[in-house]
Amino acid sequence: MNVELIQFYIVGILVVFSLSLTAFISTSYFKWRIPYGIGVMLVVSFSYVIVLQTLKLNTMHMYVDFSHWEEILWNITQSGLPLSPSSNFIHPGTSNYFSTHFSPLLYIFAVPFLIWPYGETLIFISSLGIASSVIPLWKLSRHLGFDKNMSAIWLSLFLWHVTIQYIALYEFDMLRFSIPIFLWIIFFLEQKKWKYLYLFIILALTIREDVSLTVLMLGFYMLFFVKDLRHSVPVIILSISYFIIVTQFIMPWLTLGNGNTLSHLNLSGYFTDLTNPYNFFSMLFDPIKLANIFIIFLPLLFFPLFGWRILTCCLAVLGVGLLSGSYTHLSYMLYYVSACLPFLFYALLKGWPQVLTFFNTFPGVPKDNKILATALQ
């Protein structure tokens, strides 16, 4: 491991905690309130993403991680099939992109691309997808009893979370759309609007085949912690069935000839090292992977842990990332962790009363919960 890189991150972590403590003490002592306009301004300023993405496109033009998606969408508009010569070049036999990642949601995005077949269309869809997350998050925050001031700050904390920023500035991917969709699912779960919940769960399944594992974890959360047998069991059955049918039958069938039969998610491959416990646990407790999880929680000062039950929904993303042979699948700088981020903020909001209770046990902490909440934000 690079010693200088470790030192760099340690300094950054200490700066985060030092500034957080200073802000907490100052806000508590002077009884400051964060103006509503500040939160709104931080939310609106997220629009800079579209500008930077456009400038990047005009500078780099047809770079690989962007042109790949243009290629697929163009082929959908022309032939109706998600053909990807670039995917077939890397993994022979995967000219149909759905043999690599099963993402039917792409067909919805092909409609605006058919009307305006340019890279800017992808940038608009991508940025709008992330930005639209503030709508269900706002509704969720208000439903859970937070006022407009606090809700606006939650939105700004969400949009300016380091991982959200990296995802928003990355070229294009499908997993990012799991963020607004899962936030809607969470909101409908809180509202007990089951028809809309199932509708958005089906929509989530069309993002990519591995999102079904997060839906499965949501079903287990509903079963063990929400205690809703009636609705959790259908979610569990639907997600398991979808995952098995797609990854074990449809995707291999779409792979041509003697192509890459391992292009689909193969869970059994993650547990082949069980016969060698040392290798298995070395992968599971890899310090770089654990450091990435640490960085994902750091901007929220680990407060989501107070809503730990909800974090069970993150086990699929974190588990696959820990057992993967690649660091990228758990990087806080990439989109692979997208599906767990909505539950991170849900745990934060849901566990907020416990956060206040915890801090009220310390001497010198404001007893006024509004002042304390502002200081913590």
Side-chain angles (χ1 to χ4, degrees), residues 153-261:
I153 299 301
W154 290 140
L155 298 189
S156 59
L157 286 172
F158 171 81
L159 290 176
W160 289 92
H161 184 282
V162 59
T163 305
I164 296 290
Q165 286 286 304
Y166 274 121
I167 293 170
L169 291 171
Y170 188 78
E171 281 69 78
F172 188 86
D173 64 272
M174 291 302 294
L175 286 176
R176 71 178 61 205
F177 298 102
S178 64
I179 297 173
I181 290 175
F182 272 120
L183 281 171
W184 278 114
I185 290 172
I186 291 167
F187 173 69
F188 292 132
L189 175 62
E190 279 287 329
Q191 291 269 310
K192 300 189 184 304
K193 294 183 177 179
W194 305 115
K195 180 173 65 174
Y196 295 109
L197 176 87
Y198 289 123
L199 176 63
F200 274 81
I201 282 177
I202 292 172
L203 195 60
L205 293 174
T206 65
I207 296 171
R208 224 173 79 163
E209 72 284 351
D210 45 346
V211 173
S212 58
L213 297 177
T214 300
V215 175
L216 175 63
M217 291 299 105
L218 173 65
F220 284 133
Y221 166 73
M222 292 169 63
L223 177 63
F224 293 113
F225 298 116
V226 181
K227 308 293 184 182
D228 191 333
L229 184 66
R230 179 183 176 187
H231 294 101
S232 61
V233 172
V235 171
I236 292 171
I237 294 174
L238 175 63
S239 57
I240 292 177
S241 302
Y242 184 87
F243 179 80
I244 292 174
I245 292 171
V246 169
T247 63
Q248 306 306 311
F249 296 99
I250 297 178
M251 293 173 69
W253 177 71
L254 291 172
T255 304
L256 302 176
N258 297 317
N260 179 23
T261 56

Side-chain angles (χ1 to χ4, degrees), residues 31-49:
K31 296 182 173 54
W32 288 333
R33 295 296 305 274
I34 304 173
Y36 177 66
I38 296 294
V40 173
M41 181 185 70
L42 288 170
V43 171
V44 173
S45 61
F46 183 76
S47 58
Y48 89 96
V49 169

Side-chain angles (χ1 to χ4, degrees), residues 23-80:
F24 175 77
I25 294 173
S26 301
T27 307
S28 302
Y29 181 79
F30 293 106
K31 296 182 173 54
W32 288 333
R33 295 296 305 274
I34 304 173
Y36 177 66
I38 296 294
V40 173
M41 181 185 70
L42 288 170
V43 171
V44 173
S45 61
F46 183 76
S47 58
Y48 89 96
V49 169
I50 295 180
V51 177
L52 283 192
Q53 284 277 40
T54 304
L55 290 174
K56 184 165 65 171
L57 176 64
N58 291 332
T59 302
M60 303 176 70
H61 303 293
M62 299 293 286
Y63 46 100
V64 176
D65 285 343
F66 197 86
S67 62
H68 164 71
W69 294 102
E70 288 182 301
E71 171 188 74
I72 296 172
L73 287 171
W74 172 257
N75 283 320
I76 289 176
T77 61
Q78 299 304 304
S79 67

